[in-house]
Amino acid sequence: MSYRPEGLRTMDEADGAPAPASAPAGIGVRGWLRWAWRQLTSMRVALLLLMLLALAALPGAFFPQRPQDPAAVAAYYADNPGAAEWLERFGLFDVYGAPWFAAIYLLLFVSLVGCILPRTRAHVRALRAAPSRVPRRLGRFPVHATHTTTASAEEVARAVRRALGRRFRVAGTAEGISAERGYLRETGNIVFHLSLVGVLVALGAGQMLSYRGQAVVVEGRSFANALVDYDSFTPGTLVDTDDLEPFTVTLDELTSEFTWDAQARDFAADVTITRPDGESRSDTIRVNYPVTAAGANIYLAGNGYAPHLTVRDAEGEVAFSQPVPFLPEDDFYTSRGVVKVPDVSPGLEQLGFTGYLLPSAVVDEAGARSVHPQPNAPLVVLDVYTGDLGLDDGVPQNVYELDTEGMTPVTVGEEPATILIEPGQEVELPDGLGTVTFDSLPRFAALDLRYDPSLTVLLVSALLAMAGLSASLFAPRRRLWVKIGTDEDGRTVVEAAALARGDDPGLEPELERVMTAVRAAAPTSQEDT
């Protein structure tokens, strides 16, 4: 039986075969393979694999993933060595790169393609086939009508065709006129499933070809699209980190606006993007409004202050002089930072500082605090440590954390030494350790760079999936037949019926619209039943 729009067969039946049943015994290897293929390409298996893929992705939300956060994985090993070993065996620290996840992904891809191809062939055959024959007895249909008119059969036929318009596929036969619509519903269904394949392809390509990195850039300084300039970098499987397209981003100025009660209103990073050939352009990055460079989107992920501090050791030599990003911890931009000074004069102990930057500082009996994010009265509050910073141990360190295991806090009497520095001020360190100068207060921008060539395919596939799903849900599937004959008096007798699959409130108005056109062909004499 050929495909018709009002009767959707399952994908298992798309080639005219019945839904797959249990494979009988004794069918041989070829028969078993055919049976397995039919099972894999059935819609129920495709839905099962889709649900299984969603479940398989859940561990990635509960356990740290090595490609995104290797430090968190190392910490998990330290805290739970036994459980971490088993999680590693099952690939739960890299779910999306695990063989079992790839197997589910590929099976789903094959299942969808195997479902779609036979269904598409059947749909194409149905589009080429003529509408169904006119039934012998139209009166047995629930929705039917008759009309007698003085218009000729040719006039009635022309009126019916005009009423049906382009929305129906119309065929004229000796029995009458047969019309069908609803192929858009199946077309939408096929487009929806093809779009799902497009989404799967885009996601897979994105995992292999995309990369993402974060970098902190201080005003007046530049960031280059090279691995050494990233603070963190997550490459795709096929990304060659030595072959990143070069460009530089210079942060010219970062501006911010706050209300009187410290509510953020706007952040803007004015940047200059320079290509290797020397061509440059100025642009502005705002929250949720990235700029594009070499096919990558650059987002403004955060901002803060980076006080420029100069540290001189006990010999008076400059041991450290550069801006230090302090990370905001509250709405008033109370920011925490660390200064590590390993390059002191020979024979002297290394220095470490940890403390806070207060943009609008107020110091009273309760201590020092910031009352507004803008730098109205900046103040840096630091605790001082001496000893071994541990930078020569070969173990990576967080630049925003100070490892005090091999260090000793500097004290004044029995209390830890705390120094307060304002811009332009130089403060001597206790015990003749040197001095610290607060030179200036530039700002920094935390940039998030994302390169993903599959985003266009993903967007188009998602839009097509929505369009296809809407068509498959809302496009009506209808048949309509019209018989044209004559009675004893030579008048033209028109008999019509319509059929839809399921409840269709628009079916009767559709038939009435056709009959109205028939009546208009010769309105002077009409008799309806």
Side-chain angles (χ1 to χ4, degrees), residues 339-341 349-353 384-390 402-410:
V339 181
K340 300 178 183 181
V341 187
E349 290 187 300
Q350 295 177 336
L351 298 175
F353 302 85
V384 187
Y385 293 82
T386 60
D388 183 10
L389 291 170
L402 181 64
D403 184 4
T404 59
E405 183 176 350
M407 307 196 76
T408 303
V410 176

Side-chain angles (χ1 to χ4, degrees), residues 175-506:
E175 296 85 2
I177 297 175
S178 178
E180 292 179 344
R181 65 172 299 185
Y183 289 96
L184 181 61
R185 192 182 190 99
E186 178 67 0
T187 302
N189 212 317
I190 293 174
V191 169
F192 171 72
H193 288 90
L194 284 173
S195 300
L196 288 184
V197 174
V199 169
L200 289 177
V201 171
L203 290 176
Q207 288 292 324
M208 293 185 291
L209 303 176
S210 65
Y211 63 84
R212 180 177 179 179
Q214 293 77 35
V216 172
V217 185
V218 180
E219 285 179 329
R221 301 203 171 193
S222 300
F223 155 78
N225 188 33
L227 185 61
V228 295
D229 265 18
Y230 283 99
D231 297 322
S232 62
F233 188 80
T234 306
T237 309
L238 302 181
V239 173
D240 184 359
T241 55
D242 295 329
D243 196 29
L244 301 180
E245 187 169 347
F247 63 87
T248 60
V249 179
T250 302
L251 179 61
D252 301 318
E253 183 182 12
L254 192 142
T255 57
S256 61
E257 294 182 16
F258 297 90
T259 62
W260 63 271
D261 56 348
Q263 297 298 313
R265 296 185 60 182
D266 185 40
F267 298 100
D270 296 326
V271 298
T272 299
I273 300 174
T274 306
R275 296 172 51 185
D277 58 6
E279 181 181 347
S280 62
R281 62 183 174 90
S282 298
D283 214 327
T284 300
I285 311 175
R286 298 181 184 273
V287 179
N288 297 326
Y289 292 91
V291 299
T292 302
N297 289 327
I298 305 175
Y299 296 85
L300 180 60
N303 68 93
Y305 298 98
H308 190 292
L309 301 176
T310 298
V311 179
R312 291 177 171 81
D313 60 21
E315 299 294 332
E317 299 294 332
V318 175
F320 179 94
S321 181
Q322 66 183 52
V324 182
F326 278 56
L327 302 183
E329 294 187 342
D330 60 22
D331 293 339
F332 300 111
Y333 273 54
T334 301
S335 307
R336 183 175 179 81
V338 168
V339 181
K340 300 178 183 181
V341 187
D343 299 326
V344 294
S345 299
L348 299 179
E349 290 187 300
Q350 295 177 336
L351 298 175
F353 302 85
T354 179
Y356 290 90
L357 165 71
L358 309 176
S360 294
V362 173
V363 182
D364 52 24
E365 295 80 2
R369 66 185 187 278
S370 179
V371 296
H372 199 273
Q374 295 288 27
N376 300 319
L379 180 69
V380 173
V381 182
L382 297 174
D383 295 329
V384 187
Y385 293 82
T386 60
D388 183 10
L389 291 170
L391 300 178
D392 300 326
D393 297 340
V395 179
Q397 287 190 8
N398 189 335
V399 296
Y400 301 107
E401 296 290 339
L402 181 64
D403 184 4
T404 59
E405 183 176 350
M407 307 196 76
T408 303
V410 176
T411 59
V412 176
E414 296 183 357
E415 298 294 329
T418 300
I419 59 175
L420 283 68
I421 319 174
E422 297 178 354
Q425 184 179 11
E426 182 180 73
V427 175
E428 292 187 2
L429 299 176
D431 301 333
L433 295 174
T435 61
V436 179
T437 305
F438 187 174
D439 297 316
S440 60
L441 187 61
R443 302 196 64 157
F444 73 84
L447 302 181
D448 188 354
L449 186 144
R450 306 178 191 180
Y451 174 79
D452 190 346
S454 67
L455 289 179
T456 301
V457 177
L458 184 61
L459 175 61
V460 172
S461 298
L463 293 176
L464 287 176
M466 292 298 297
L469 183 61
S470 299
S472 66
L473 291 176
F474 302 114
R477 297 177 292 180
R478 298 169 183 165
R479 285 184 185 179
L480 193 145
W481 302 279
V482 178
K483 280 186 176 182
I484 304 174
T486 57
D487 61 7
E488 298 175 351
D489 300 328
R491 294 178 301 178
T492 302
V493 178
V494 182
E495 186 179 7
L499 179 67
R501 182 176 176 84
D503 294 332
D504 186 352

Side-chain angles (χ1 to χ4, degrees), residues 19-36 38-39:
S22 299
I27 62 174
V29 175
R30 185 174 180 180
W32 277 104
L33 290 176
R34 184 184 297 112
W35 175 83
R38 289 180 177 177
Q39 294 295 322

